[in-house]
Amino acid sequence: MTAPVIVAALLAVAIAALISALVTWTSRPLLQRYALARPNARSSHRVPTPQGAGIAVISATLVVAMTWAVWTNVAIPPALVIATVVIALVGFADDIVPLPVLVRLVLQAGCVAAVVFTAPDDARVLPALPLALERGLIVLAGIWFVNLVNFMDGLDLMTVAEMVPVTAALLLFGLIGELSWPAVSIATALCGAMLGFAPFNKPVAKVFLGDVGSLPIGLLLGWCLLELAWHGQPAAALLLPAYYLADATITLFRRIARREQFWSAHRSHFYQRATDNGFTVPRVIGDVFALNLVLAALAILTVRSGSMTVTPLALVAGAVAVGFVLRRFSRPQAS
């Protein structure tokens, strides 16, 4: 880790934040006119709010990441860039005129598969499995991850509270040599872009990310975490997004068990139930942010310790921390 690299990383964060903020600010009047999210029974907001600021976040992320990649002489996979743009366009179309579920899934699956199956053959998480089987499982996990990031983007600053700690931890992993530089450039730029978006999304939000933001953010973050796992750090790759994974996955299985239309909009995520149980939005976001800092610290511990004993303990500690927050969210607050 050298001082010039740290300075360059901080500069990339600052530039991405500035671009994201400027594009969000200038595009808001158009989004107000053409992409207005009106509240309904399943919404967490109470007034019509423009959505689609993900255009700013994704644009800032790709521009800064690709520029930094050129400067450091590394290559971001073209399939990832193309898939991100395509999935953003699908999300933007869905923000304006809702698309059929099957159409969205097919297009998302194509984007995720293009990224996964163009990766080098020596990029493995479970070498004991046949390559085709492992890649197929990763595609399924990737489709779920893209969608769960979208599902969890249902509260002011929620995605900021998730993405900033996770991407900052990924940047740190890159600085200590535990993550590929293409992934570091994506994570760094995404961290900055989310910081630039944050002032517009703080309660009460002036603008939402929309599917044009949450879906490609899920793809980009999922790829960075996959790169971390390919780099020999699967425990860290699981710990960093553990809250999102737990909240979204448990909610999905509960809805399936209740024979509900699990693909339709709802308000049964733990963070949504928290607001129904008396938690204020800032308190929910504060708890999620604090939890993500704990998970990031545990992930860093698994990477730096290099101990086969520490990793299982860190995973258990992460599960306990996530379980504590989920249980807390699911109980009514004392009046």
Side-chain angles (χ1 to χ4, degrees):
M1 183 190 312
T2 63
V5 174
I6 296 174
V7 171
L10 294 176
L11 184 61
V13 170
I15 293 173
L18 180 60
I19 293 173
S20 178
L22 285 174
V23 176
T24 300
W25 180 65
T26 56
S27 64
R28 193 165 157 260
L30 284 174
L31 298 176
Q32 179 82 33
R33 183 174 180 181
Y34 295 108
L36 200 62
R38 300 187 182 279
N40 55 48
R42 299 180 178 92
S43 303
S44 296
H45 63 290
R46 295 292 176 263
V47 297
T49 305
Q51 60 183 347
I55 296 171
V57 172
I58 297 305
S59 298
T61 300
L62 292 180
V63 167
V64 173
M66 290 190 291
T67 301
W68 195 22
V70 170
W71 181 70
T72 54
N73 198 30
V74 299
I76 296 175
L80 177 64
V81 176
I82 295 170
T84 299
V85 173
V86 170
I87 213 167
L89 291 173
V90 172
F92 188 58
D94 197 46
D95 285 335
I96 298 174
V97 180
L99 300 175
V101 173
L102 184 59
V103 172
R104 296 201 308 266
L105 278 177
V106 169
L107 292 171
Q108 291 166 8
C111 290
V112 174
V115 173
V116 172
F117 281 101
T118 55
D121 289 348
D122 60 352
R124 304 296 304 271
V125 179
L126 298 171
L129 292 180
L131 178 62
L133 176 59
E134 183 187 52
R135 293 288 166 89
L137 293 174
I138 291 173
V139 168
L140 291 176
I143 295 169
W144 174 231
F145 194 81
V146 166
N147 281 281
L148 73 84
V149 171
N150 182 35
F151 298 155
M152 295 295 290
D153 182 42
L155 206 61
D156 297 345
L157 283 183
M158 174 61 77
T159 304
V160 175
E162 177 73 14
M163 294 300 146
V164 170
V166 173
T167 52
L170 290 170
L171 170 57
L172 179 59
F173 288 144
L175 294 176
I176 63 177
E178 295 294 342
L179 184 63
S180 68
W181 276 107
V184 173
S185 65
I186 291 289
T188 302
L190 181 56
C191 182
M194 292 305 300
L195 288 172
F197 166 71
F200 301 91
N201 194 235
K202 65 181 182 180
V204 174
K206 297 179 179 65
V207 66
F208 299 145
L209 279 173
D211 288 3
V212 67
S214 59
L215 292 172
I217 285 172
L219 179 66
L220 290 172
L221 181 64
W223 178 77
C224 289
L225 293 170
L226 182 58
E227 280 283 317
L228 185 61
W230 280 339
H231 210 82
Q233 303 296 343
L238 281 174
L239 279 166
L240 288 175
Y243 168 65
Y244 261 32
L245 287 171
D247 191 325
T249 304
I250 293 172
T251 299
L252 173 70
F253 282 122
R254 289 174 69 172
R255 298 195 75 211
I256 291 174
R258 293 170 181 169
R259 298 183 180 180
E260 298 176 5
Q261 292 184 330
F262 59 86
W263 57 87
S264 60
H266 60 92
R267 280 191 54 79
S268 53
H269 284 288
F270 286 87
Y271 73 90
Q272 292 170 320
R273 291 162 60 194
T275 59
D276 295 338
N277 285 333
F279 284 79
T280 64
V281 172
R283 190 175 177 187
V284 173
I285 297 307
D287 285 357
V288 171
F289 186 78
L291 173 60
N292 281 318
L293 291 179
V294 171
L295 294 172
L298 291 171
I300 293 168
L301 181 63
T302 65
V303 172
R304 297 303 287 170
S305 70
S307 169
M308 295 298 291
T309 304
V310 170
T311 296
L313 291 176
L315 288 169
V316 170
V320 170
V322 171
F324 174 80
V325 171
L326 294 181
R327 185 175 178 82
R328 177 180 167 88
F329 284 172
S330 64
R331 290 188 165 189
Q333 290 296 287
S335 56

